[in-house]
Amino acid sequence: MSARHIELEGRLSIADVPDVRRFVENVHHRFVGSDDLSRVAMTAHELLENAVKFSADGAARLRIELADGEIRIITRNRAHPGDVEVLSAFARRLEAAPSAMNLYLDLMRSPTPTVGGLGLGRIAAEGEMALDLALDGDWVQVTAHTVLSAA
């Protein structure tokens, strides 16, 4: 597969996220096998929802890259300092967890949700995606990536 990408950037609301999810599904059904399409759409939805919800200035970026049988779904936004700290703690917790599914189940049982944690846990567990977090001041970039099933 040759490299392909789509990118969306700007001020978005939570109400826009389902529309973006449908767009992602419509575009990627030609390039991603049916076994992976729901994981890709769900991951784009969860990442974009978090990026919009926790954006300090109302703007977010979503980028999806397909190349050599792998997919990378990337969001980037400015975040409030407290949210950056919570997200960093979640990333450490995910890295230390014996399994993404166990962490996700713990998150679902938790009476106090972690900022973006349930969605990120879902991506790692149900979406079977690896997550990377990059911080640059108040900029947050979250990348979910995986090797796709053979189509």
Side-chain angles (χ1 to χ4, degrees):
M1 166 189 324
S2 62
R4 302 179 186 280
H5 79 272
I6 62 168
E7 190 166 350
L8 173 67
E9 183 172 8
R11 292 193 181 280
L12 299 166
S13 74
I14 294 295
D16 296 321
V17 174
D19 294 329
V20 173
R21 180 187 181 130
R22 283 188 291 279
F23 171 75
V24 168
E25 285 175 319
N26 289 336
V27 168
H28 287 89
H29 82 273
R30 293 179 295 246
F31 309 112
V32 175
S34 60
D35 291 345
D36 293 314
L37 187 58
S38 62
R39 295 185 315 135
V40 168
M42 179 274 294
T43 298
H45 181 112
E46 293 288 355
L47 285 181
L48 184 60
E49 182 174 75
N50 280 350
V52 169
K53 188 185 304 181
F54 299 110
S55 174
D57 60 7
R61 180 178 77 180
L62 170 71
R63 180 178 174 94
I64 302 175
E65 303 170 351
L66 283 164
D68 302 322
E70 293 186 34
I71 190 155
R72 299 173 69 75
I73 303 169
I74 305 157
T75 55
R76 184 172 168 82
N77 64 285
R78 283 196 125 99
H80 299 284
D83 292 341
V84 171
E85 292 171 22
V86 172
L87 187 57
S88 296
F90 176 81
R92 289 189 300 274
R93 186 174 172 194
L94 178 60
E95 187 175 313
S99 82
M101 185 57 77
N102 285 346
L103 176 59
Y104 182 46
L105 294 172
D106 287 346
L107 291 167
M108 285 194 292
R109 287 186 214 106
S110 175
T112 54
T114 303
V115 172
L118 189 58
L120 295 174
R122 182 177 184 207
I123 291 166
E126 290 181 13
E128 299 175 342
M129 301 247 181
L131 288 167
D132 298 317
L133 173 66
L135 302 171
D136 184 11
D138 62 350
W139 285 100
V140 173
Q141 181 169 300
V142 180
T143 303
H145 54 95
T146 192
V147 174
L148 298 170
S149 304

